[in-house]
Amino acid sequence: MPDESASGDHGVSVSLGAINPALSNSSIPQSPEVYTEEPFTTYFDEKIAVPEEKHSCFSFRKLWAFTGPGFLMSIVDPGNIECDLQSGALAGFKLLWVVLFSTIMGLLLQSLAARLGVVTGLHLAEVCHRQYPRVPRILLWLMVELAIIGVDMQEVIGSAIAINLLSVGRIPLWGGVLITIADTLIFLFLDKYGLRKLEAFFGFLITIMALTFGYEYVTVKPSQTQVLQGMFLPSCSGCRTPQIIQAVAIVGAVITPHNIYLHSALVKSRQVDRANKQEVQEANKYFFIDSCIALFVSFIINIFVISVFAEAFFEKTNKQVVAVCKNSSSAHAHLFPDDNSTLTVDIYKGGVVLGCYFGPAALYIWAVGILAAGHSSTMTGTYSGQFVMEGFLNLKWSRFARVSLTRSIAIIPALLIAVFQDVEHLTGMNDFLNVLQSLQLPFALIPILTFTSLRPVMSEFANGLGWRIIGGIVVLVICFINMYFVVVYVQGLGHVALYVVAAVVSVAYLSFVFYLGWQCFIALGMSFLDCGHTHHLGLTVQPE
């Protein structure tokens, strides 16, 4: 086996035993094919060099070298924005604290994902391929793929809605989907001109989002007192089922499963000698700082959107909105029923209402922000699809073939929906996709906590007792939140046949989550749950 440190190739190893010496003597089974296969190839062939600076506890040059992956995985997508605006319109400023806590939980999980990639040289999908048996591995891949398809549909449809708004309705939704497909594929090949140029392009899109949604924030002028109270005083007085569902949806929108898989892969683009403990520690530190900065920017954008709709449209009625739209000579007044029911908004109607209240500029700037969010998140969704399919299935396809397949899987459903669904009636589909996204969270959270807690995988960088306790609590909380979300959603279906189907699916779903959770708790140190079969799964717990 070649010596990585001597060759200078600090990429992926051909076996887990080559990652850490601890694995060589572990009881993790390794099939003979692992030794004969070519190593997994990362989607990014380029490695960013890290400048050497001795006797420095912190270096801005090194931070700049490690900056990038955090911003790619912290993109605010259209589904997230729609969740934000509905939260503001339904609950005012009361759910801002949920965004704060979700961001903190997201930071914890993203730091685990980055640490897994740095320490092992493998991303999460690759580790799952090596550690889980065939059937759980395939089921896990299908669940993650389903999550990517769901979020991709929201992103593509969000971009199409933005194009429809910017063209004053001249470009239909299906036309916007086709445009999004074309320009996304063009943007995807930017990495051929250098990974840093690609990361700079993502930075440009994030800047557009911050400026456009910041413009709406400054225009609407939300009460800063209410913003701070909502952020730091957890409460939800007077909240009922719709508000609670929105709180749950925020968690799923901020902590997206495909981004955890993506982040663990993106960190492999930096040149780190994993045989050097100091370099690994340094990389973990700078990637954590990168994640902190990126998630802070994401948090600010979420706060902008929620606060704008909380200040301007909380407890507004459709009748009030219709009157304002008619006075402003808006062509979209017909979108809202002329009655006293509470206003409900989505990305499309949200832009229209902003235009009615604050002028056409607010509508078009809103659409530009949605367009930037849609394109950036569609690109990250594509990269996630590459890593997940490549890692779980050990594909040796060409780059074009992989892009074509993963794009088709996500784009075709979005195009069909765009053809047969009116641009004004997409809220129901987005609600369903939010439920789908929320359901998939355990299939990223449980594996990342499991593998970062295993000494055979992480060696001395395995989670300590504190990380295990905090991580276990976060996973349990998110799983229970999602289960509640599903129960509430199923109760609203209102059809016996749908109840039966939902019950069957729920039993299968919960059984798989229980299986993954059982393995996770064993990895966290609860050896009394081990019935003597854990070594068949590759999840061997070694004493501290």
Side-chain angles (χ1 to χ4, degrees):
M1 187 170 297
D3 184 355
E4 281 189 336
S5 60
S7 66
D9 178 12
H10 311 304
V12 179
S13 302
V14 296
S15 72
L16 285 177
I19 297 172
N20 290 304
L23 290 175
S24 301
N25 299 319
S26 72
S27 59
I28 294 180
Q30 298 188 30
S31 60
E33 64 174 354
V34 175
Y35 291 94
T36 59
E37 290 175 348
E38 289 296 320
F40 281 86
T41 57
T42 180
Y43 191 69
F44 300 119
D45 295 325
E46 180 185 358
K47 295 281 188 182
I48 305 299
V50 178
E52 293 186 10
E53 289 189 16
K54 296 182 179 180
H55 311 297
S56 175
C57 62
F58 181 81
S59 166
F60 281 104
R61 289 179 65 224
K62 284 193 174 182
L63 176 60
W64 177 247
F66 284 105
T67 298
F71 284 89
L72 268 68
M73 65 80 194
S74 65
I75 293 293
V76 179
D77 59 69
N80 192 344
I81 293 170
E82 177 154 335
C83 178
D84 288 342
L85 64 89
Q86 288 180 352
S87 298
L90 281 173
F93 299 93
K94 297 175 184 176
L95 298 180
L96 289 176
W97 63 274
V98 180
V99 180
L100 177 61
F101 280 95
S102 298
T103 303
I104 294 172
M105 287 192 291
L107 176 62
L108 167 68
L109 295 165
Q110 293 296 350
S111 66
L112 293 180
R115 188 142 53 90
L116 179 74
V118 171
V119 173
T120 66
L122 301 172
H123 57 72
L124 181 56
E126 292 171 331
V127 176
C128 290
H129 173 83
R130 286 158 167 77
Q131 296 289 76
Y132 283 123
R134 181 182 297 274
V135 173
R137 183 173 72 230
I138 293 175
L139 289 175
L140 192 58
W141 167 65
L142 291 174
M143 292 297 101
V144 177
E145 201 68 60
L146 197 60
I148 294 173
I149 292 172
V151 76
D152 242 350
M153 289 171 66
Q154 287 182 306
E155 292 159 355
V156 173
I157 291 174
S159 296
I161 289 174
I163 292 171
N164 182 271
L165 286 172
L166 289 170
S167 66
V168 198
R170 292 188 179 90
I171 299 178
L173 190 63
W174 61 267
V177 170
L178 291 176
I179 292 172
T180 302
I181 295 170
D183 53 24
T184 299
L185 289 175
I186 293 172
F187 293 148
L188 282 172
F189 287 92
L190 282 175
D191 66 347
K192 285 297 182 184
Y193 296 96
L195 183 54
R196 293 301 266 177
K197 290 184 176 65
L198 177 71
E199 292 174 346
F201 181 68
F202 273 95
F204 171 70
L205 293 176
I206 293 171
T207 302
I208 290 177
M209 280 187 274
L211 291 176
T212 52
F213 298 132
Y215 170 87
E216 308 290 358
Y217 186 85
V218 171
T219 301
V220 175
K221 298 182 178 67
S223 166
Q224 300 305 302
T225 302
Q226 288 186 289
V227 170
L228 293 174
Q229 287 178 343
M231 200 183 304
F232 296 109
L233 296 178
S235 68
C236 196
S237 57
C239 288
R240 298 185 178 181
T241 301
Q243 288 79 14
I244 295 174
I245 290 178
Q246 281 307 127
V248 175
I250 288 173
V251 177
V254 173
I255 310 172
T256 50
H258 72 286
N259 276 344
I260 293 175
Y261 284 87
L262 176 65
H263 199 193
S264 66
L266 292 174
V267 296
K268 293 167 59 178
S269 61
R270 269 51 181 181
Q271 203 165 39
V272 177
D273 182 2
R274 292 182 291 103
N276 187 322
K277 178 181 176 181
Q278 184 177 351
E279 281 197 31
V280 172
Q281 290 176 329
E282 199 171 58
N284 288 332
K285 177 180 72 175
Y286 285 111
F287 278 131
F288 179 75
I289 297 173
D290 175 45
S291 298
C292 288
I293 298 171
L295 285 172
F296 177 74
V297 174
S298 171
F299 171 71
I300 293 298
I301 291 173
N302 284 318
I303 295 299
F304 282 164
V305 177
I306 293 178
S307 300
V308 164
F309 283 85
E311 179 69 27
F313 308 117
F314 177 51
E315 295 184 333
K316 285 284 193 301
T317 64
N318 287 310
K319 195 177 189 69
Q320 291 174 304
V321 173
V322 169
V324 173
C325 286
K326 286 181 177 177
N327 288 337
S328 63
S329 301
S330 171
H332 301 286
H334 67 280
L335 292 177
F336 309 96
D338 195 1
D339 56 32
N340 287 317
S341 59
T342 303
L343 172 70
T344 57
V345 288
D346 52 30
I347 289 179
Y348 182 73
K349 292 180 180 178
V352 169
V353 173
L354 285 172
C356 291
Y357 274 77
F358 304 102
L363 185 153
Y364 292 122
I365 290 173
W366 169 262
V368 169
I370 298 297
L371 189 64
H375 276 72
S376 57
S377 52
T378 301
M379 291 168 68
T380 57
T382 301
Y383 286 127
S384 299
Q386 306 309 305
F387 293 129
V388 165
M389 186 169 287
E390 180 186 84
F392 274 107
L393 304 184
N394 190 18
L395 289 181
K396 303 301 181 187
W397 292 3
S398 69
R399 183 169 184 259
F400 179 78
R402 282 180 292 176
V403 170
S404 299
L405 178 61
T406 53
R407 281 294 77 200
S408 299
I409 290 173
I411 293 297
I412 290 175
L415 184 58
L416 291 175
I417 290 171
V419 171
F420 296 105
Q421 189 79 32
D422 195 303
V423 67
E424 300 169 11
H425 302 92
L426 288 172
T427 305
M429 177 55 64
N430 273 316
D431 289 342
F432 170 76
L433 292 175
N434 280 333
V435 172
L436 178 66
Q437 190 70 6
S438 187
L439 276 170
Q440 307 309 315
L441 269 176
F443 304 121
L445 308 190
I446 296 177
I448 195 65
L449 181 60
T450 300
F451 296 129
T452 54
S453 299
L454 281 172
R455 277 193 173 275
V457 174
M458 299 291 288
S459 188
E460 59 191 293
F461 294 97
N463 295 332
L465 180 61
W467 275 93
R468 293 181 185 186
I469 293 174
I470 295 172
I473 292 173
V474 168
V475 169
L476 283 175
V477 167
I478 291 176
C479 286
F480 279 119
I481 285 175
N482 288 329
M483 289 177 191
Y484 173 81
F485 196 8
V486 173
V487 169
V488 171
Y489 185 80
V490 169
Q491 287 177 344
L493 295 176
H495 197 286
V496 176
L498 293 177
Y499 285 145
V500 174
V501 172
V504 173
V505 173
S506 296
V507 169
Y509 169 82
L510 291 175
S511 298
F512 190 40
V513 171
F514 175 79
Y515 167 83
L516 295 176
W518 170 54
Q519 298 303 317
C520 182
F521 283 123
I522 293 174
L524 291 176
M526 300 182 184
S527 55
F528 62 89
L529 295 175
D530 186 2
C531 301
H533 302 293
T534 307
H535 61 280
H536 295 305
L537 305 177
L539 301 178
T540 303
V541 181
Q542 292 189 355
E544 295 289 342

